[in-house]
Amino acid sequence: MKDPVCGMAVTLASPHSYEHEGRVFYFCCAGCQTKFSADPGRFLQPTVVEPPIEGATYTCPMHPEVREDHPAACPKCGMALEPDMPTLDEGENPELIDFRRRFVWTLPLTAAVFILAMGGHRFSGLSHSTSSWIQLLLTLPVVLWAGAPFFVRGVQSVLHRSPNMWTLIATGTSAALAYSVVATVVPGLIPASFTSMGQVPVYFEAAAVIISLTLLGQLLELKARSQTGAAIKSLLGLAPKTARRVDIDGSEADIALAEVHVGDMLRVRPGEKVPVDGAVIDGTSAVDESMLTGEPMPVSKRAGDKLIGATLNTTGALLMSAAKVGSQTVLAGIVQMVVQAQRSKAPMQRMADRVAGYFVVAVVTIAALTFVAWVLFGPEPRWVYGLINAVAVLIIACPCALGLATPMSIMVATGRAATQGVLFRDAAAIERLRDVDTLIVDKTGTLTEGRPRFERAIAAEGYTDDEVLRLAASLDKGSEHPLARAIVVAARERKLRLERVVDFDSASGVGVSGHAGTRALLLGNSTLMQQRGVVVDALEAQAEALRATGASVMFLAVDRQAAGLLAVADPIKASTAEALATLKASGLRVIMASGDGLTTARQVAATLGIDEVHGEVKPADKLALVKRLQAEGRVVAMAGDGINDAPALAQADVGVAMGTGTDVAMNSASVTLVKGDLRGIAQARVISQQTITNMKQNLAFAFVYNALGVPLAAGVLYPFTGWLLSPMLAALAMSLSSVSVISNALRLRANHPRE
């Protein structure tokens, strides 16, 4: 949480706290606590009037660590906080509506002030004094009402000791307005050196035009920022609005999607979207899952098969049972991951934030030095020149473009990646993926389809093939591994009676064990057999022959005696060879690490052209492999889909999980491929490279803009060229710089990964 006075991060362990209106606030020090307790309202006033969304969390687009349960302004940058999770029916941005109203109502006043200041009083016959009074009356509504949000944010930036763009705008326009008011109301207080042609000049037009141009810049920026959420809204739009529930008595009724509960029976008719995640109870159909997985061909579904919410039922009618609803569905998880990535900070952005904090202080110092230099060395009226150029420096140097440079690129890139089936957990993953030079891939479910088919069982003496399959399937009922599912399905298709197994234990990566009645069962690879002292030499020759065909082989032991072996084949994905060729062509070193036997792993690797292979590796071995490569200076990505891959996924510089795999793997990874297609890594790397290039362009533009604009505003070129920068032009340039940064970021939406 944040100290409401200074904005510093604090925890519940802080000894400094204060309760106000039933809410406890924590502080970084006793000083902040004292200030808050003296006047809590001073630090809790929101600057945006907006009814809160029930249960919503609000966060800052530029500082995602700032989170509130109500609309407010960011204590660091002053921007209005936005709902963390957008909705389709949220309507237009309230801040955009508010700023548009202020801009439209005061623009005629600003235009009138500008015309009078540019000589309009001469044509109307007004005296300089009368013109100044009229400008004063016209300017006050512009600055005090239209510019009120800017001044509130400027004051809060000082109170929170977090100088930002609003600090500069508030300081610059206040200086111009205060001077002009004094020059109009009591001109005798103005030094004679300020006069020009016998008149005391006023700069109401500078204050008014700066406010109007800043409002215009905010309108353009808010409009552009709204486009970065288009990907989120398109994902939200995939979900249907209603579901057809089937009651116990057989009656059916359409209900709102929010009214669906786990366990409800739902009817999905041809042409309708699957409402929530669940499983088919009755019926057969082909379901188009391309909106989430990108696969163009519909997938055949029958009783027992899983269904994903928001996918499209094409032909037959299905009766399904709801298993996951609301925020638990696959679609909701994808949306949450995209939102989380968009709100995270890249390392490059954290550097920009630090620079921006010092930059504001430096700008105020430069503005003060500009004023002093003009007063001491400038031509007459030197005081006027000093004031105007100091204001121009404050306005043109607003760090808004610097602050927006990286967040906008991240928001657009993550949205675009999501539409291509690539989910980044955070901005750091986007930045890091570009530097990856080594990729470790699991076999089952990553290179292969992850839907193995049972090939055959070979019994040892004293057992039959069916008995080996039956015992293995009885034990594998408790496992979620794809190979186990293939064995269980094969046993049920043969109508074999499975036994109840107790003391089930999964030795992740090598096999499983348990007891069926009085018999101790053990099923796994040769490593597990060696660990438990089971001799399988009599079966090894047959096992090696099966491995040579690419099949995965598991041994079954009963009471520590070899009972037979089972072979399961897992076809290589059609896209794997193309994906690996693309990745290797881009310079990646590809390594396979599989829990299968070394012969099986080598056969698959040879088919795919992978030179470096590690077989029969346990989860700890995969983790050790990642660490060893990192110690050699490699930047490592790990791609896998199972529980046994989770430690390596977490350790890798970039963990890549298959969206078709386990939840544990996806929770451990920083990138998820929804399609489970390795080609997504190549796409993700291209997006990463383009995003980093875009961020660098934005940062370079922001720095170059200020490097050129500040000296020009300070009047450095005046002795040589006679050029001076009006504060009004400075305000226009400041606004356009932010819009340019956002527009450049939006170009990422149009770029497509190169094949």
Side-chain angles (χ1 to χ4, degrees):
M1 61 190 68
K2 299 295 177 182
D3 184 322
V5 176
C6 66
M8 291 184 64
V10 293
T11 68
L12 294 175
S14 172
H16 309 289
S17 63
Y18 182 80
E19 184 172 350
H20 173 67
E21 295 182 350
R23 182 180 175 191
V24 179
F25 296 88
Y26 293 85
F27 307 89
C28 65
C29 62
C32 287
Q33 178 184 344
T34 302
K35 291 179 182 178
F36 182 87
S37 60
D39 185 9
R42 172 185 172 191
F43 303 101
L44 300 178
Q45 286 182 342
T47 58
V48 178
V49 178
E50 176 190 353
I53 299 174
E54 187 69 27
T57 300
Y58 295 80
T59 187
C60 174
M62 289 171 58
H63 299 92
E65 69 275 14
V66 175
R67 305 179 74 82
E68 293 286 350
D69 59 1
H70 60 280
C74 175
K76 292 188 175 182
C77 66
M79 295 182 70
L81 303 185
E82 301 175 346
D84 191 20
M85 179 65 75
T87 60
L88 287 174
D89 55 355
E90 64 185 1
E92 195 172 24
N93 188 327
E95 187 180 35
L96 177 61
I97 296 173
D98 181 47
F99 281 4
R100 183 192 297 125
R101 178 167 53 91
R102 295 174 188 269
F103 176 74
V104 171
W105 280 99
T106 58
L107 183 60
L109 303 181
T110 299
V113 172
F114 182 78
I115 292 171
L116 286 172
M118 294 298 104
H121 62 282
R122 299 192 186 96
F123 300 104
S124 61
L126 298 174
S127 65
H128 176 79
S129 176
T130 303
S131 175
S132 297
W133 275 99
I134 295 175
Q135 291 181 54
L136 169 59
L137 296 175
L138 295 175
T139 300
L140 288 178
V142 178
V143 176
L144 299 183
W145 178 68
F150 307 154
F151 288 101
V152 171
R153 295 175 182 186
V155 171
Q156 288 183 334
S157 70
V158 175
L159 295 176
H160 293 142
R161 296 199 293 272
S162 179
N164 51 50
M165 63 173 288
W166 306 112
T167 315
L168 304 181
I169 291 176
T171 303
T173 52
S174 296
L177 179 64
Y179 161 78
S180 300
V181 169
V182 173
T184 300
V185 179
V186 282
L189 296 179
I190 303 299
S193 58
F194 270 57
T195 60
S196 176
M197 293 182 292
Q199 304 289 339
V200 179
V202 292
Y203 293 94
F204 290 114
E205 87 284 357
V209 172
I210 287 170
I211 293 298
S212 291
L213 287 176
T214 303
L215 279 170
L216 176 61
Q218 288 296 294
L219 291 176
L220 296 175
E221 178 185 320
L222 290 168
K223 276 283 189 183
R225 270 169 47 196
S226 66
Q227 297 180 46
T228 63
I232 297 290
K233 292 187 177 181
S234 66
L235 288 172
L236 291 172
L238 294 178
K241 303 298 184 292
T242 61
R244 189 166 187 83
R245 184 167 61 193
V246 180
D247 292 327
I248 297 177
D249 60 4
S251 62
E252 301 183 10
D254 291 328
I255 60 173
L257 194 64
E259 297 177 21
V260 177
H261 300 287
V262 173
D264 283 352
M265 285 193 299
L266 307 173
R267 177 83 64 193
V268 188
R269 293 166 293 192
E272 290 183 338
K273 288 185 176 181
V274 177
V276 295
D277 296 1
V280 178
I281 298 175
D282 185 41
T284 59
S285 182
V287 177
D288 181 358
E289 298 182 341
S290 61
M291 60 182 65
L292 289 180
T293 67
E295 294 296 335
M297 295 298 294
V299 180
S300 177
K301 300 289 183 180
R302 60 179 184 272
D305 288 342
K306 292 183 178 180
L307 293 172
I308 302 175
T311 53
L312 181 66
N313 182 29
T314 59
T315 54
L318 296 173
L319 183 65
M320 66 172 291
S321 174
K324 294 182 179 179
V325 301
S327 61
Q328 303 303 312
T329 63
V330 170
L331 178 62
I334 291 173
V335 171
Q336 186 58 50
M337 286 188 69
V338 176
V339 170
Q340 180 180 342
Q342 290 188 343
R343 299 302 190 196
S344 62
K345 281 192 178 184
M348 192 181 298
Q349 182 182 344
R350 289 193 285 270
M351 177 272 293
D353 287 346
R354 290 194 297 270
V355 171
Y358 293 111
F359 180 74
V360 174
V361 177
V363 167
V364 174
T365 303
I366 292 173
L369 293 175
T370 297
F371 180 78
V372 172
W374 275 95
V375 169
L376 294 178
F377 308 110
E380 295 295 344
R382 59 184 62 184
W383 287 85
V384 173
Y385 278 125
L387 175 66
I388 297 306
N389 285 291
V391 171
V393 169
L394 292 172
I395 299 302
I396 200 170
C398 287
C400 187
L402 182 61
L404 290 170
T406 58
M408 293 299 104
S409 299
I410 293 298
M411 291 182 74
V412 176
T414 50
R416 169 186 156 201
T419 62
Q420 297 178 4
V422 179
L423 304 180
F424 290 101
R425 170 174 290 183
D426 52 36
I430 298 179
E431 191 166 333
R432 193 63 171 156
L433 185 59
R434 185 190 66 147
D435 300 324
V436 167
D437 55 25
T438 303
L439 173 65
I440 302 173
V441 291
D442 177 44
K443 182 181 79 69
T444 303
T446 303
L447 300 178
T448 61
E449 292 181 357
R451 294 190 294 270
R453 295 189 300 268
F454 174 76
E455 292 286 317
R456 61 179 299 191
I458 299 177
E461 185 177 353
Y463 294 89
T464 64
D465 293 350
D466 277 355
E467 179 70 1
V468 169
L469 175 60
R470 187 181 72 83
L471 292 175
S474 299
L475 186 55
D476 265 341
K477 283 191 301 181
S479 174
E480 65 171 10
H481 196 281
L483 300 181
R485 288 198 295 269
I487 291 173
V488 173
V489 168
R492 286 175 173 164
E493 287 178 347
R494 298 188 185 187
K495 302 187 184 309
L496 300 178
R497 184 181 60 82
L498 304 186
E499 295 190 35
R500 178 174 176 268
V501 172
V502 297
D503 300 328
F504 176 84
D505 182 49
S506 174
S508 183
V510 292
V512 294
S513 62
H515 286 82
T518 60
R519 293 187 289 183
L521 304 181
L522 189 65
L523 179 67
N525 60 20
S526 56
T527 299
L528 179 63
M529 297 298 129
Q530 292 172 5
Q531 291 175 353
R532 302 295 177 90
V534 178
V535 179
V536 294
D537 293 348
L539 299 169
E540 193 59 51
Q542 294 166 298
E544 194 66 13
L546 290 168
R547 292 187 189 114
T549 66
S552 297
V553 175
M554 290 157 285
F555 294 97
L556 174 69
V558 179
D559 295 328
R560 295 185 178 274
Q561 299 296 319
L565 61 81
L566 301 99
V568 177
D570 189 7
I572 296 172
K573 293 177 182 176
S575 60
T576 297
E578 177 191 346
L580 291 177
T582 302
L583 292 170
K584 291 173 70 174
S586 69
L588 277 183
R589 172 185 174 187
V590 180
I591 302 171
M592 179 199 290
S594 173
D596 276 339
L598 188 57
T599 301
T600 301
R602 283 175 174 169
Q603 196 279 331
V604 173
T607 303
L608 296 172
I610 300 176
D611 300 322
E612 189 171 345
V613 184
H614 299 265
E616 293 192 5
V617 293
K618 298 185 287 293
D621 298 327
K622 292 183 181 181
L623 177 62
L625 176 61
V626 173
K627 289 182 176 180
R628 177 172 64 79
L629 291 169
Q630 290 174 327
E632 295 173 0
R634 293 278 182 172
V635 181
V636 182
M638 169 71 194
D641 75 324
I643 293 175
N644 59 323
D645 299 316
L649 289 170
Q651 173 64 34
D653 296 284
V654 179
V656 182
M658 302 295 110
T660 51
T662 63
D663 291 341
V664 175
M666 286 183 274
N667 290 334
S668 302
S670 50
V671 179
T672 298
L673 306 181
V674 177
K675 308 174 188 178
D677 186 339
L678 279 179
R679 287 178 296 186
I681 297 180
Q683 293 176 321
R685 290 193 80 212
V686 171
I687 293 174
S688 171
Q689 292 163 354
Q690 293 176 346
T691 303
I692 300 305
T693 299
N694 191 269
M695 287 195 292
K696 288 182 176 179
Q697 291 170 347
N698 287 344
L699 288 170
F701 178 81
F703 280 118
V704 170
Y705 161 80
N706 284 292
L708 297 177
V710 170
L712 180 61
V716 171
L717 299 180
Y718 181 79
F720 311 103
T721 63
W723 292 353
L724 287 176
L725 185 65
S726 163
M728 293 178 289
L729 293 178
L732 179 61
M734 179 269 295
S735 298
L736 292 179
S737 69
S738 299
V739 175
S740 299
V741 164
I742 297 173
S743 299
N744 186 52
L746 290 173
R747 290 193 309 111
L748 286 170
R749 296 190 306 174
N751 290 334
H752 296 287
R754 297 177 295 275
E755 295 295 337

